[in-house]
Amino acid sequence: RRDDEVVPAFLGVDAGALLDGFGCQVEVVEQAGGHELDAATVVAVRSWLASLGAPPRRVSLGLPVDRVAAAGEFRTAGAIADLAASWARLGFAAAYVTDHPAPDDRWVAGGGHHALEPTVALAAAATATSTLRLHTNVYVLGYRNPFLAAKALTSLDVLSGGRLLLGVAAGYLRTEFEALEVPYAGRGALLEDHLRRLLSIMSGETQTVGSRTVTPEPRPVQRPHPPVWMGGNTAAARRRAVEFAA
């Protein structure tokens, strides 16, 4: 490590690994705090974003909520808020988080990860800035009852002043479905069914439950509902992206 190649701790082990791949000797140190930005860094990142072309590109940058072992640096509300404020200052449009409520040990050992609960982590991020969009990348709807998902996601949109970007997908980790007692087969159809119900609830449509009705409250700030981003790399995912963009 040369003095002019010190990697700020908040960049995490991924940046260290990237630099190591280019032949740099990297030392990564976990420390509490250390999320401050200097003026030169802000100028450099904003210049890079501007260089992406016109119209200006809006980039979503991940919050390291998967680094659950790095308690002092990443796994506190203060750390998430610090990083979210930094993302906004650097000019990023959104911060995203991942979703893994029950990853199995074998998958984690092979490069997978745990993560904080998405809406809770994004709520912490929301307190630090009034402009940064809050992006679920992605939220596996099949894991959750649509009413519970709608309540959590709507609450986040309301408390953040309408900044939720709702990224959803069918999911892929079979053992996670098994742990949550959700059928793995047919998960694509389950996503579509849950998403239709979720958007209906968020739009304020009266829901029939048995012999009674439910009128959803509160409504999201974004009407009729937050924008939906469809995750996936299959033909079915592309079809859903078109269908639910309409």
Side-chain angles (χ1 to χ4, degrees), residues 15-229:
L18 178 64
L19 291 172
D20 184 68
F22 282 102
C24 298
Q25 293 183 345
V26 178
E27 178 185 354
V28 178
V29 179
E30 179 193 345
Q31 60 185 40
H35 306 115
E36 298 80 8
L37 295 172
D38 58 58
T41 299
V42 175
V43 170
V45 174
R46 284 184 171 271
S47 296
W48 172 74
L49 289 170
S51 73
L52 297 179
R57 303 293 178 88
R58 292 178 292 179
V59 178
S60 181
L61 183 65
L63 289 169
V65 296
D66 56 320
R67 306 297 187 192
V68 294
E73 188 178 359
F74 298 135
R75 206 182 65 197
T76 67
I80 291 173
D82 284 349
L83 290 167
S86 295
W87 281 196
R89 187 181 173 200
L90 289 169
F92 291 101
Y96 73 79
V97 297
T98 184
D99 180 24
H100 279 293
D104 68 89
D105 293 341
R106 180 178 175 181
W107 183 75
V108 170
H113 59 86
H114 289 273
L116 299 178
E117 200 284 325
T119 60
V120 175
L122 289 175
T127 64
T129 167
S130 61
T131 57
L132 195 70
R133 302 300 296 266
L134 309 167
H135 182 192
T136 57
N137 185 33
V138 287
Y139 197 73
V140 183
L141 275 181
Y143 292 163
R144 299 166 174 92
N145 176 284
F147 281 95
L148 289 175
K151 183 64 71 175
L153 295 165
T154 296
S155 297
L156 178 59
D157 195 63
V158 168
L159 295 179
S160 67
R163 288 185 280 146
L164 173 63
L165 293 176
L166 178 55
V168 298
Y172 60 89
L173 193 56
R174 181 186 294 271
T175 53
E176 202 158 47
F177 280 85
E178 293 172 352
L180 298 169
E181 299 181 353
V182 176
Y184 181 76
R187 62 194 182 282
L190 183 63
L191 165 63
E192 294 176 19
D193 289 345
H194 280 202
L195 184 55
R196 290 189 186 96
R197 188 67 179 267
L198 176 80
L199 298 182
S200 175
I201 295 168
M202 286 183 144
S203 298
E205 298 173 7
T206 299
Q207 307 295 310
T208 300
V209 180
S211 61
R212 301 196 178 190
T213 58
V214 174
T215 302
E217 289 289 349
R219 293 281 308 283
V221 172
Q222 300 178 90
R223 300 297 178 89
H225 53 72
V228 176
W229 291 24

